[in-house]
Amino acid sequence: MKKHSFKEWVIAVRPWSFPASAMPIIATLAFLFWTNAEINWLYGVWALVGMLLFHMTGNTWSDYFDYKKKVDADDTFGAKTLTTGMFQPEEIKKLAIGLLVASLICGIGLLLVTGLPLLWIGLAGAVLTLAYPYLKFNALGDLDILLTFAFLPTIGTSYVATGAIDWSVLLIALPIGLITDGILHSNNTRDMKTDKRAGINTMAMSLGPKSAATLYAFEVIFPYAWVGICSIFGFLPLHTIIIFMTLPVALGCAKTMVHGVENKIELIADMDVRTANLQLMFSVLLSIAFVLARFI
């Protein structure tokens, strides 16, 4: 096996996707700060590190199985770490296992200083991470992502940071989670033809191109309606309407998706990256809004 540079190892874990896992936790901490909760910031940061490790595990685990299943090939838009020969499959497999061990050590350490509820949240996350390839291949990957990167992280963060589960964090888990889900869904919509060749069935394939594009548009636009309604009725501070600054970006993504599936699929080749950037901007503004609402 050839020696790899640090840059190659970084590429292998796909850092551009990290906002998908980091921002739900950061936004949750900001939300709890707005509610005047007593926050253990050390445990909050600890949870963030653990979530990033689980995310890296999921990325490499998925890449390994996508390559073995021939979902990722020379002519696909997916991860190139294996299809270009940068890494050998066994290297990525060992990296995934190593990251999983690091994730479990981090999670167990946090469990020991917090409490038993974190065990069940962590186990659910670990099972969903490991089962993701199977679920993705059977049209359930979108549900997996929504649970793993939205509901579980926000609930878990509220517990470790405050000592109790604050179910109101689900108010922000839904909008952030839908845009996060859009990252995967845009990827699967783009890859329908090559996924069919590989013999798998994603939700995008089950829906068909036009319906898949419609679902994507819902995933990136509905969060604005949700936050707007929640702020009007007082569930969230009015400051959160600053997220509408990113609405043109969401509308642009939705328009490109619809146009891409109807005309030229290459137009949505980078839609997963664009959606990840949208999720980052949306979540950062939402977090800033909670901090501002605490003081203003």
Side-chain angles (χ1 to χ4, degrees):
M1 293 184 182
K2 70 175 184 178
K3 184 177 180 180
H4 297 286
S5 66
F6 176 74
K7 180 180 179 180
E8 288 177 326
W9 287 112
V10 170
I11 292 172
V13 296
R14 286 189 268 151
W16 65 264
S17 66
F18 289 173
S21 56
M23 292 316 302
I25 292 179
I26 293 172
T28 298
L29 291 173
F31 174 86
L32 295 171
F33 181 70
W34 166 64
T35 63
N36 291 304
E38 187 174 339
I39 300 172
N40 187 316
W41 293 102
L42 174 61
Y43 292 172
V45 173
W46 194 338
L48 176 61
V49 172
M51 186 61 191
L52 286 172
L53 285 170
F54 265 114
H55 191 177
M56 286 185 272
T57 302
N59 281 347
T60 49
W61 192 251
S62 176
D63 287 349
Y64 172 76
F65 280 98
D66 280 354
Y67 182 78
K68 297 295 286 187
K69 188 72 175 178
K70 300 189 185 306
V71 174
D72 287 341
D74 292 340
D75 61 341
T76 62
F77 292 104
K80 301 296 185 181
T81 49
L82 288 169
T83 58
T84 61
M86 180 185 295
F87 286 90
Q88 295 301 309
E90 285 304 307
E91 290 179 306
I92 294 297
K93 182 180 180 181
K94 289 178 181 178
L95 175 60
I97 293 173
L99 288 168
L100 177 61
V101 171
S103 303
L104 292 174
I105 292 174
C106 184
I108 291 171
L110 190 55
L111 167 66
L112 293 176
V113 297
T114 54
L116 192 59
L118 186 62
L119 173 63
W120 311 118
I121 297 171
L123 281 176
V127 170
L128 287 169
T129 297
L130 294 175
Y132 173 71
Y134 174 80
L135 295 174
K136 174 187 173 182
F137 297 164
N138 291 277
L140 293 172
D142 297 68
L143 177 60
D144 184 303
I145 292 298
L146 191 61
L147 293 172
T148 308
F149 288 91
F151 295 157
L152 289 177
T154 52
I155 292 171
T157 300
S158 73
Y159 175 72
V160 301
T162 67
I165 294 177
D166 184 347
W167 294 102
S168 64
V169 296
L170 295 179
L171 290 172
I172 63 171
L174 181 62
I176 295 176
L178 283 174
I179 300 178
T180 302
D181 219 33
I183 301 172
L184 170 70
H185 188 65
S186 63
N187 185 309
N188 291 343
T189 302
R190 177 197 66 198
D191 294 342
M192 282 190 286
K193 288 185 178 179
T194 52
D195 284 348
K196 183 178 181 180
R197 181 185 66 193
I200 69 172
N201 180 40
T202 63
M203 182 177 288
M205 294 169 64
S206 297
L207 292 173
K210 290 186 178 180
S211 295
T214 299
L215 176 59
Y216 173 82
F218 172 81
E219 289 174 332
V220 298
I221 294 174
F222 178 76
Y224 295 88
W226 176 267
V227 172
I229 292 170
C230 287
S231 64
I232 290 173
F233 285 95
F235 299 117
L236 297 176
L238 284 174
H239 302 67
T240 55
I241 63 173
I242 65 172
I243 54 100
F244 280 87
M245 293 172 60
T246 63
L247 181 57
V249 179
L251 292 172
C253 287
K255 182 179 179 181
T256 301
M257 176 63 75
V258 172
H259 185 63
V261 298
E262 291 179 348
N263 297 280
K264 194 174 182 181
I265 204 69
E266 287 76 11
L267 292 174
I268 60 173
D270 65 342
M271 191 56 68
D272 50 353
V273 178
R274 290 178 58 182
T275 309
N277 290 335
L278 171 64
Q279 190 261 21
L280 175 61
M281 292 185 289
F282 180 97
S283 302
V284 166
L285 287 179
L286 190 64
S287 302
I288 291 173
F290 289 131
V291 175
L292 291 176
R294 171 71 181 269
F295 296 110
I296 303 175

